[in-house]
Amino acid sequence: MADDLMPTPARPRARRGYALAVAAAGALLAVCAVLPWAGLQATSSLIGGGVASDVRGVDDVFGVYALVAGLAALGCGLAGAMSRPRLAALAVVPGGAALAVLLMFVTESGGMRDRISVDLGDLLSIEPVIRAGWFAALACATAIVLLSLLALFRRS
């Protein structure tokens, strides 16, 4: 009779922290695709100023690919959070693709507009620059890969 009154131990809940972190990193990657990634900056010491022209991530095809990869990682993370946390490990595929796309944006970005670099001393300096949005997207893609691997190899 005493055994019937004892409560049964509750089953441990599956940890969904890594899956939620993958979803958050995927959402941040999607947001970073809208931020400025690169630009062309012209400065002059004679007039004490300069002008800049920025290119957002989604203005280039590689930025659109990064946006899609971020949304796919968000979906994998949410699927892992709702059902089995190891489903979040599938986000390693869009995360790795986003890393490759981000590197291709820097190395193969189109046109002479991105490659122009002119330095005329104090008179005029024109150069391409990488903006903070690209670095944030790179950090998010790296976080997606690492967190999805942690979701796969976590201790039960």
Side-chain angles (χ1 to χ4, degrees), residues 49-155:
V51 294
S53 172
D54 290 334
V55 176
R56 297 178 311 149
V58 292
D59 292 340
D60 192 71
V61 68
F62 294 129
V64 175
Y65 292 154
L67 174 68
V68 171
L71 293 175
L74 173 65
C76 291
L78 289 178
M82 287 187 209
S83 60
R84 300 192 62 186
R86 291 191 184 227
L87 284 176
L90 293 175
V92 75
V93 175
L99 282 173
V101 162
L102 286 163
L103 293 177
M104 286 191 312
F105 177 81
V106 172
T107 59
E108 298 178 11
S109 193
M112 288 298 293
R113 181 176 175 272
D114 295 335
R115 303 285 184 228
I116 294 174
S117 182
V118 176
D119 188 16
L120 300 175
D122 289 338
L123 183 62
L124 182 65
S125 175
I126 301 172
E127 59 190 2
V129 291
I130 301 294
R131 298 286 182 206
W134 182 84
F135 290 107
L138 184 68
C140 290
T142 305
I144 289 170
V145 170
L146 292 176
L147 289 169
S148 61
L149 289 175
L150 286 173
L152 180 64
F153 297 119
R154 71 168 176 80
R155 291 183 185 216

